[in-house]
Amino acid sequence: MRIFELTTTVVLVAYLTYQISPHRDNYSCFACLPLVCLPIIILHLIIESARWEMLPIYLVFIAATYQAVASQWAMDVQTHYIINVLGLGCVGVGIVLSTVFPVFELPSPTGPYPVGTTSRLFIDRGRTNPADLGGPRELMVQIWYPTDRSSMGKVAAYQQRATTTVWDARFSLAKTHSIIDASLRKSQSRYPVLLYAPSWNGMRTENTHLAEELASRGYVIVGIDHPYSSFATVFPDGHVIRSRLLDEDFYSTESSFNRFLETAETEIQARTDDVRFVVNALGQLDEADSADLFANRLDLDRLGIFGFSLGGGVAAQACWRDSRFKACLNMDGFMAGESLKQRGIAPLFFMSEADPIDPQRSSELSLPKRREKALDWEQFVQARKLFSTFGGYWLTIKPAKHFNFSDYAFSSPIHFFSRSGAIDPVRVAGTIDRYAFAFFELYLRGNNHKWLEEPVGDLAEYRFEKAGSASEGSNSSPQAVATDPHSGGRIDNKPIDDPGLTKKD
């Protein structure tokens, strides 16, 4: 709970406890506590903003205030006791709701630089929107970048209010660590660039923590919203385009499953076109008038990409189609297109949850569940084949679930609601941060970090593997540091809570 929410709750609990106390005549000063609560509520509404999770507490405050000021509100002792006990119960419900669905905080970036953020509208006049053939393809992007410690300004909200619903409005109340429209740090002439591709109907902000972490270490990160695919895209003039992707049970019938596969293929190809256009637009931005924040500051010769879920497949496909990308990070991604069978030119790093189970080993699965497991297994087998044939890196975080590879894991302390695995999401994020940074440092800056070279530790929580390219002769079958039945290359292991990333460069 936030500070004014917590203060309001404490005051109301004290007041209701006083009301049911048999000795309340000795503490008559407590009778005015609802009036004391009034300015706190006002500050809460002005500074923190209201949210539906606090509704039971708001109702108790209104009732308690009326009870305190309405002297004619008389009732017998039993009724008085029951009403105030019910009030305590309502406060309890409010506490539970506000705790289970908090205005969450992202882990702070650990790099040496503060982070700035800004947004840009890029218009591709050579293409039309697939769902709106009357106009050019318009893309909103958000850019995170290192800034100077002297930078001051408003901190960006996690999401714009227009992208949320009543149910998830708290996402627009959460704050990031990025300063809006801060200046780009001057100590370095040009910065390497990383693009971020979001999930099925995800948005550019869904991996803000990793974007901020990499920006704090000297990268410019560009997150892309795909209109009609991303949940909601807000444009500078205020109009909003919402996703037209169906969020159905894709595995319930054979027709819905086939429709999902066709849509995923189409989406990956269309979003890959978006990604390539954004790179072109960044090139124009880099060559723009010197007054622009990024003019002559973007090093597009050191270009990488990362994506989550379907975005992981977009990242891989972009690297297959565009040789400008020098490194690709696929975070628990669904792959399709040519990149599923032929790895792109850029080095590839897979990150995933625990290995799926071959559905042939289980005879008790329902038909929809069998379709889901069969697809997971097919994707896994093909990805392992790519890994063992072309080389790269693979990090398996065994206790993690799919959404541990996004910020959604921070959205609730209850794993069921955050759809995350039974492991501290901050620990998982720290591991992802560490390996993502080391990977991009190696292939974009040529800095070889120990996390990719000498990881050692226990297999219990995760498995880190690396394999050489098939073109490297004898190095294509590297020795295994630890054995694993799924190994396509060398396996190294390291404790998941390695504190190395917290050290300032």
Side-chain angles (χ1 to χ4, degrees), residues 36-155:
V36 173
C37 202
L38 180 61
I40 301 173
I41 283 283
I42 293 173
L43 288 173
H44 159 65
L45 296 176
I46 294 174
I47 298 175
E48 297 176 334
S49 295
R51 58 191 183 108
W52 70 263
E53 296 87 352
M54 286 284 292
L55 183 59
I57 294 176
Y58 299 151
L59 295 176
V60 170
F61 163 73
I62 293 171
T65 302
Y66 182 78
Q67 184 182 42
V69 300
S71 57
Q72 71 275 17
W73 190 13
M75 63 186 79
D76 59 69
V77 174
Q78 185 176 7
T79 303
H80 175 89
Y81 183 85
I82 291 173
I83 287 177
N84 283 280
V85 168
L86 289 175
L88 281 172
C90 285
V91 171
V93 171
I95 292 172
V96 171
L97 290 174
S98 299
T99 303
V100 172
F101 304 109
V103 178
F104 59 93
E105 295 182 2
L106 298 176
S108 298
T110 62
Y113 312 129
V115 178
T117 190
T118 189
S119 59
R120 290 284 192 276
L121 170 63
F122 293 151
I123 302 177
D124 185 355
R125 302 193 183 280
R127 292 189 300 147
T128 58
N129 278 315
D132 179 15
L133 300 180
R137 180 70 164 166
E138 296 182 332
L139 298 172
M140 286 300 302
V141 304
Q142 185 164 344
I143 308 175
W144 294 265
Y145 50 89
T147 186
D148 294 299
R149 295 199 175 277
S150 59
S151 294
M152 302 290 288
K154 184 179 179 181
V155 174

Side-chain angles (χ1 to χ4, degrees), residues 162-475:
T163 66
T164 64
T165 63
V166 173
W167 166 254
D168 62 1
R170 62 196 175 96
F171 284 77
S172 66
L173 301 178
K175 298 297 183 182
T176 66
H177 304 282
S178 302
I179 302 171
I180 299 175
D181 294 331
S183 60
L184 182 59
R185 187 174 176 84
K186 299 180 178 64
S187 63
Q188 189 171 321
S189 59
R190 287 182 177 273
Y191 290 92
V193 178
L194 299 172
L195 269 64
Y196 175 69
S199 58
W200 175 255
N201 59 356
M203 295 182 291
R204 66 192 191 227
T205 56
E206 69 184 10
N207 248 307
T208 293
H209 166 66
L210 183 54
E212 290 184 330
E213 176 63 35
L214 292 169
S216 76
R217 291 179 169 271
Y219 289 84
V220 171
I221 318 299
V222 183
I224 307 171
D225 273 341
H226 303 278
Y228 299 102
S229 298
S230 294
F231 180 78
T233 304
V234 182
F235 291 89
D237 63 2
H239 82 277
V240 181
I241 294 179
R242 300 198 177 273
S243 176
R244 294 189 178 181
L245 292 178
L246 297 176
D247 198 9
E248 59 179 320
D249 183 355
F250 303 123
Y251 308 102
S252 58
T253 65
E254 191 68 26
S255 61
S256 62
F257 180 57
N258 290 332
R259 186 165 55 248
F260 162 69
L261 294 178
E262 292 171 4
T263 302
E265 177 80 33
T266 302
E267 283 290 317
I268 285 178
Q269 298 295 353
R271 296 187 196 191
T272 299
D273 289 336
D274 287 345
V275 165
R276 299 182 70 197
F277 169 72
V278 168
V279 176
N280 294 338
L282 291 172
Q284 295 177 6
L285 198 63
D286 182 59
E287 298 169 359
D289 182 88
S290 59
D292 190 274
L293 183 66
F294 300 104
N296 302 309
R297 305 299 301 279
L298 303 178
D299 188 351
L300 293 175
D301 290 329
R302 294 186 291 173
L303 179 66
I305 185 170
F306 64 106
F308 161 61
S309 195
L310 190 74
V314 174
Q317 185 68 8
C319 290
W320 190 89
R321 292 178 56 187
D322 199 324
S323 61
R324 289 176 293 181
F325 290 101
K326 305 299 190 298
C328 175
L329 171 58
N330 181 338
M331 302 168 66
D332 211 35
F334 175 93
M335 295 178 65
E338 297 87 348
S339 58
L340 181 59
K341 296 181 173 61
Q342 308 169 45
R343 192 203 72 173
I345 296 172
L348 182 58
F349 193 149
F350 290 97
M351 291 186 181
S352 67
E353 56 184 307
D355 298 345
I357 299 173
D358 184 350
Q360 300 301 324
R361 298 181 182 178
S362 178
S363 59
E364 299 180 357
L365 294 174
S366 64
L367 191 55
K369 183 60 69 173
R370 184 172 293 278
R371 291 190 188 101
E372 179 182 356
K373 296 300 182 183
L375 179 61
D376 290 345
W377 181 252
E378 179 184 342
Q379 286 271 317
F380 173 73
V381 169
Q382 186 59 36
R384 294 301 303 188
K385 186 181 297 183
L386 288 175
F387 175 67
S388 60
T389 303
F390 298 103
Y393 301 87
W394 195 306
L395 176 67
T396 304
I397 305 178
K398 297 179 181 180
K401 296 297 183 184
H402 188 57
F403 282 92
N404 276 112
F405 296 90
S406 74
D407 295 334
Y408 203 76
F410 304 116
S411 65
S412 175
I414 307 301
H415 297 300
F416 175 81
F417 293 110
S418 65
R419 301 167 73 179
S420 60
I423 183 173
D424 181 6
V426 175
R427 293 177 64 201
V428 175
T431 299
I432 293 171
D433 294 347
R434 180 169 67 246
Y435 281 98
F437 171 65
F439 175 66
F440 289 124
E441 278 288 287
L442 176 61
Y443 288 101
L444 301 187
R445 283 179 166 151
N447 297 329
N448 202 346
H449 276 256
K450 63 179 181 179
W451 301 311
L452 293 182
E453 284 301 307
E454 300 177 352
V456 293
D458 187 12
L459 280 169
E461 290 190 323
Y462 76 93
R463 183 179 72 243
F464 176 65
E465 305 167 75
K466 50 189 174 183
S469 170
S471 64
E472 294 174 0
S474 61
N475 290 333

